[in-house]
Amino acid sequence: QKEVEQNSGPLSVPEGAIASLNCTYSDRGSQSFFWYRQYSGKSPELIMFIYSNGDKEDGRFTAQLNKASQYVSLLIRDSQPSDSATYLCAVTTGGSYIPTFGRGTSLIVHP
Amino acid sequence: DVKVTQSSRYLVKRTGEKVFLECVQDMDHENMFWYRQDPGLGLRLIYFSYDVKMKEKGDIPEGYSVSREKKERFSLILESASTNQTSMYLCASSVTGTGLYGYTFGSGTRLTVV
């Protein structure tokens, strides 16, 4: 049984701070890792993907992957109230195009 | 802008009705998916399709069926709606391959069965 675990939160951070969202996964064969943002009442939107160990940066977002420790993180720098949403982690295993989703972490950025 | 379009944003249906949820994508994606999302349960895969006229059961297919007559269109059918099928339904598509590029989701259909 493949599992993807996220702390449900809410994670509350002040505006301008760094928000750190974490995700652990159980399948060592996992190869592709995705972060989706979902605003309340809306559908998920892909914001980052990462395949290799290390960091990947895109604007204020940085995805960090550590396959040895089986975790992937999303850092949001200079957090804004508009970043308040639920963040879903998703993981695929080599040969499969169907990800296993975590249940998401709720992020609240307060002014 | 590429899109996955779900025909209805909100639907209210009666118990026992046959319900059709439509999804159309304009990205020429091979793979299409139907999920439902419920508080505390996350996203659950109902059915998926990797080609026209092909379909595969996901984790919770009971009470549902699907149709994919054309590449761009993937329909979810609730054969006889029940109150426990009240949920947010999300359609998604992706390119073929090894899941490298993630999903594009539609805007969702919030279905209420009364």
Side-chain angles (χ1 to χ4, degrees):
Chain A
Q1 179 81 8
K2 302 172 189 175
E3 293 184 348
V4 176
E5 299 287 341
Q6 297 181 257
N7 189 318
S8 61
L11 173 66
S12 182
V13 300
E15 184 174 358
I18 296 175
S20 178
L21 303 161
N22 299 314
C23 171
T24 61
Y25 58 94
S26 62
D27 190 338
R28 284 197 171 273
S30 298
Q31 294 190 341
S32 304
F33 306 84
F34 306 87
W35 284 100
Y36 292 83
R37 178 178 61 203
Q38 186 173 23
Y39 293 115
S40 180
K42 304 295 186 182
S43 61
E45 173 192 13
L46 181 66
I47 55 172
M48 291 283 292
F49 56 87
I50 186 168
Y51 313 132
S52 304
N53 271 331
D55 295 359
K56 179 182 178 181
E57 188 174 316
D58 183 1
R60 295 187 296 113
F61 298 96
T62 299
Q64 298 178 318
L65 176 60
N66 184 322
K67 288 188 175 182
S69 300
Q70 295 178 242
Y71 78 81
V72 55
S73 300
L74 179 69
L75 302 179
I76 307 174
R77 290 183 301 281
D78 188 24
S79 295
Q80 301 297 310
S82 59
D83 294 325
S84 299
T86 296
Y87 290 81
L88 303 175
C89 173
V91 176
T92 59
T93 305
S96 172
Y97 53 85
I98 300 176
T100 300
F101 282 88
R103 295 188 179 184
T105 298
S106 174
L107 172 66
I108 299 172
V109 181
H110 54 87
Chain B
D1 197 15
V2 294
K3 277 186 177 177
V4 177
T5 302
Q6 294 184 232
S7 54
S8 302
R9 189 74 180 93
Y10 297 95
L11 274 179
V12 180
K13 296 292 182 180
R14 295 193 178 277
T15 301
E17 278 194 78
K18 192 169 186 177
V19 181
F20 293 85
L21 303 182
E22 305 288 341
C23 176
V24 177
Q25 50 96 2
D26 64 1
M27 298 168 285
D28 202 35
H29 283 175
E30 293 82 2
N31 308 318
M32 297 188 74
F33 309 82
W34 276 106
Y35 286 84
R36 62 178 285 178
Q37 187 176 34
D38 302 286
L41 297 178
L43 285 164
R44 292 183 290 169
L45 182 62
I46 304 170
Y47 267 97
F48 61 99
S49 168
Y50 53 88
D51 201 353
V52 176
K53 296 192 183 294
M54 305 302 290
K55 59 186 179 183
E56 296 284 345
K57 293 180 180 179
D59 299 320
I60 52 164
E62 296 79 17
Y64 303 94
S65 62
V66 290
S67 172
R68 194 169 181 197
E69 297 296 319
K70 294 184 178 181
K71 188 176 184 179
E72 67 270 19
R73 186 181 297 270
F74 191 36
S75 302
L76 179 69
I77 303 157
L78 285 65
E79 299 290 344
S80 177
S82 63
T83 54
N84 63 12
Q85 293 178 310
T86 292
S87 186
M88 169 70 93
Y89 288 88
L90 292 164
C91 176
S93 71
S94 72
V95 297
T96 197
T98 58
L100 292 176
Y101 304 108
Y103 284 172
T104 301
F105 282 92
S107 57
T109 296
R110 185 163 294 280
L111 172 67
T112 302
V113 182
V114 298

